[in-house]
Amino acid sequence: DGGITQSPKYLFRKEGQNVTLSCEQNLNHDAMYWYRQDPGQGLRLIYYSQIVNDFQKGDIAEGYSVSREKKESFPLTVTSAQKNPTAFYLCASTAASGAYEQYFGPGTRLTVT
Amino acid sequence: GQSLEQPSEVTAVEGAIVQINCTYQTSGFYGLSWYQQHDGGAPTFLSYNALDGLEETGRFSSFLSRSDSYGYLLLQELQMKDSASYFCAVVSSGGYQKVTFGTGTKLQVIP
């Protein structure tokens, strides 16, 4: 079955540590996205990538970094510079022609204390 | 920039019909999408409207009026499993097809 996997589902880190969230897709989608969701809020775009080796900042990129070395993979690093990293992180992908229909992974809930 | 408004909460009775409204402000508008998200889960795509009018998919329908910058999601024959958050999302131009999500409407279906 095609889909998006994110791991781990729950992640706990101490303040000051960098942490990398995994996102893998086997849908053969060109575009991939990272969103952050806070309680009672919508999804805010962190980074997106339309093709391998290229990515762009979204609305809230400060304190985050990404890489896109393979079409299937788009890992997100939450750095110690992110002031309020505790949140639910969602990875998504779309076919090149259809940003309107985003396929989401199950999400990673990050807690930083 | 883009902004979307939708009610924060809606309660409806099982078997009834409920309408969730969404108004938006954006430049370079392409269309309006709707997503469903159960607590703790991932959003799943429900529908997309690029043109004015009603799109029907089973019990769910979505409507768009581009001139009014307004859309709605209509859920018929409500079931308990429809209790979830529903997000509208504007697709607009911006170098790529940018998607901006609303803050969501939490629907509670009661017996």
Side-chain angles (χ1 to χ4, degrees):
Chain A
D1 286 339
I4 301 179
T5 57
Q6 291 185 245
S7 59
K9 190 170 179 62
Y10 298 96
L11 192 54
F12 298 88
R13 281 293 183 271
K14 294 292 187 184
E15 197 173 313
Q17 293 179 333
N18 290 356
V19 59
T20 297
L21 310 184
S22 166
C23 176
E24 304 277 332
Q25 56 99 359
N26 61 3
L27 298 166
N28 199 32
H29 283 170
D30 293 296
M32 298 186 73
Y33 307 78
W34 274 105
Y35 293 93
R36 169 184 173 137
Q37 187 174 33
D38 294 285
Q41 298 295 310
L43 284 69
R44 292 184 291 166
L45 181 65
I46 305 173
Y47 267 98
Y48 66 96
S49 168
Q50 292 182 277
I51 57 172
V52 173
N53 292 322
D54 185 61
F55 47 84
Q56 304 295 328
K57 293 182 179 180
D59 300 319
I60 56 165
E62 185 175 349
Y64 300 98
S65 66
V66 293
S67 63
R68 185 87 186 275
E69 297 177 2
K70 298 186 300 182
K71 186 176 184 177
E72 303 80 20
S73 178
F74 191 40
L76 173 74
T77 297
V78 184
T79 75
S80 57
Q82 168 50 233
K83 299 302 180 190
N84 187 17
T86 294
F88 188 43
Y89 290 88
L90 287 155
C91 179
S93 71
T94 66
S97 59
Y100 63 88
E101 183 174 358
Q102 305 219 330
Y103 292 78
F104 285 86
T108 292
R109 193 167 298 279
L110 174 65
T111 302
V112 177
T113 57
Chain B
Q2 288 83 19
S3 68
L4 297 95
E5 283 192 25
Q6 49 182 134
S8 58
E9 294 182 356
V10 172
T11 300
V13 178
E14 189 177 14
I17 299 172
V18 70
Q19 179 174 311
I20 299 174
N21 298 321
C22 174
T23 57
Y24 59 86
Q25 289 186 329
T26 187
S27 56
F29 177 82
Y30 279 155
L32 189 70
S33 296
W34 289 92
Y35 290 82
Q36 178 192 61
Q37 184 182 31
H38 287 97
D39 282 348
T44 55
F45 173 79
L46 292 176
S47 68
Y48 176 69
N49 295 67
L51 302 175
D52 286 356
L54 192 68
E55 294 279 346
E56 298 181 63
T57 309
R59 294 187 298 115
F60 294 1
S61 303
S62 57
F63 172 83
L64 176 66
S65 169
R66 296 174 68 108
S67 60
D68 295 323
S69 298
Y70 163 75
Y72 66 72
L73 181 69
L74 191 72
L75 294 80
Q76 303 181 72
E77 301 172 17
L78 280 172
Q79 302 176 8
M80 298 300 290
K81 67 178 181 179
D82 297 329
S83 293
S85 291
Y86 293 84
F87 295 88
C88 58
V90 165
V91 182
S92 58
S93 61
Y96 76 113
Q97 285 192 349
K98 181 180 174 69
V99 180
T100 304
F101 286 83
T103 53
T105 298
K106 191 171 180 67
L107 170 65
Q108 183 181 13
V109 180
I110 58 176

